[in-house]
Amino acid sequence: MAVVSIAALASKYLFFTQSIPAIPSLKASPVSSTLIRYTTITATMSAKPLNPQSHPSLEVSGGALDSFLPAFTTLDRPYDSYPVVGSNTHLETIFAYFFRSNPDVRFRRECLRAKDNGSISLDWVVGDDRNLSPNSPTLILLPGLTGGSGDSYIRHMLMRARKKGWRVVVFNSRGCGFGPVTTPQFYSASFLGDITEVVAHVSSRFPEANLYAAGWSLGANILVNYMAKESVNCPLSGGVSLCNPFNLVMADEDFQKGFNIVYNKSLSSSLRKIFNTHALLFEEIEGEYNIQAAANCRSVREFDDSITRVSFGFKSVHDYYSKSGSAQSIKDVRKPLLCIQAENDPIAPARGIPREDIKENSNCMLIVTPQGGHLGWIGGDEAPFGAPWTDPIVMDFLEYLERTKSMSVPNAKSEENTHSVQATVK
């Protein structure tokens, strides 16, 4: 019983699931600012190897490999999982939940009312409006199923980005992170209405900032589906997908086997709690909903069959899983996307990774580590209690994209100023 209860507590998180000092404004002309920025970027990039290589312990591929590989400062090192802990996928996954530190972050919650009157909870870091400029790069974090801003993997990534001067906001899906539910609808692996409204809202608040997103597990699946749907018109300047289940049919198959059954039962318990808190909203709803089954579900599949697939118009739970995985949509992504997976992930099976589509997409790059479990990745300089091995990799990628964007913006502004001067002279 004790073993089951430990794993059960952990799997709430498992399935998919210092303030920054203000920078003094530089009083310089637009031309000198542009030259300083360009010179700094050029020096940084020229200091890197001309032919960067990844370490053989990592599987690194993708159509954008040659473009993105220079971004990374540590991929030439071997992936060394922490001794003992990294020897077993379940041990690593559970250890990360129980023993990884959880940074203290003060949030200010904003409840965004969706077009269907649903409520989305956005958690902003207290003080960022004072300490960061309106054009600071902005990062949206998407937790896994039932996850939220309280999860350690979210907070570690948030803290790393803030130390680099980024603004960060956590997107808690309906009912997650103790957020309210105001309509008889939660969220799904393929429902893109909420992320579309969140991205539009954040973009409207900070129109001068470049916008990025990172998602874990179910949040990663939603993010990739969103980027694919928006294609060339995607407002994001880039995205990162971690522990993405990709193929939900395969993920569901593995979820019914071995030790994964423990995760399944525990996660269904978390879903029950969220549902039963808001069950009155579903009391008189019509359709194929099975309220009783949802209130007493013993598996994720049972909950999805009773509520999720009905809410979003799927004929069956298999229909929902087969049409909602991002493996089939990633080929349509047209903005920079980094995917990071663990070969031994018990919940996001490696055989579901769309390797060929990633190789053929000139906007995508894939990194697969030999170990890592699900949301574990206990390795790197901060192991075993600090940030996951993936965090510096994610930050390298995002900062590379931001440097690239910042190089192009001044040139565009210079051209605009030149045209306006010529017009004035005439």
Side-chain angles (χ1 to χ4, degrees), residues 257-387:
K257 302 174 183 176
F259 194 83
N260 284 7
I261 295 174
V262 177
Y263 302 153
N264 197 353
K265 289 182 177 178
S266 185
L267 185 60
S268 65
S269 175
S270 297
L271 289 169
R272 284 200 309 272
K273 288 177 183 177
I274 294 175
F275 177 77
N276 288 329
T277 301
H278 308 285
L280 289 177
L281 291 168
F282 293 82
E283 226 176 30
E284 298 182 2
I285 195 168
E286 298 179 354
E288 299 179 36
Y289 293 95
N290 191 332
I291 307 305
Q292 192 66 26
N296 298 283
C297 68
R298 291 293 180 269
S299 70
V300 174
R301 183 184 180 90
E302 188 176 359
F303 183 86
D304 285 340
D305 191 32
S306 303
I307 297 294
T308 311
R309 67 97 182 168
V310 185
S311 292
F312 297 100
F314 294 97
K315 294 181 291 185
S316 66
V317 68
H318 181 78
D319 186 44
Y320 164 50
Y321 290 157
S322 63
K323 293 179 179 177
S324 299
S326 55
Q328 57 197 359
S329 68
I330 197 168
K331 62 183 181 298
D332 297 321
V333 170
R334 292 295 178 268
K335 292 294 180 71
L337 174 66
L338 172 64
C339 301
I340 310 179
Q341 303 287 126
E343 182 68 31
N344 70 343
D345 193 319
I347 294 166
R351 71 184 189 282
I353 300 172
R355 288 176 165 87
E356 290 306 313
D357 284 340
I358 292 175
K359 287 178 182 177
E360 293 175 8
N361 190 325
S362 60
N363 304 286
C364 298
M365 178 175 167
L366 171 68
I367 301 172
V368 182
T369 59
Q371 290 89 32
H374 191 72
L375 301 174
W377 280 305
I378 301 174
D381 296 339
E382 296 187 37
F385 303 110

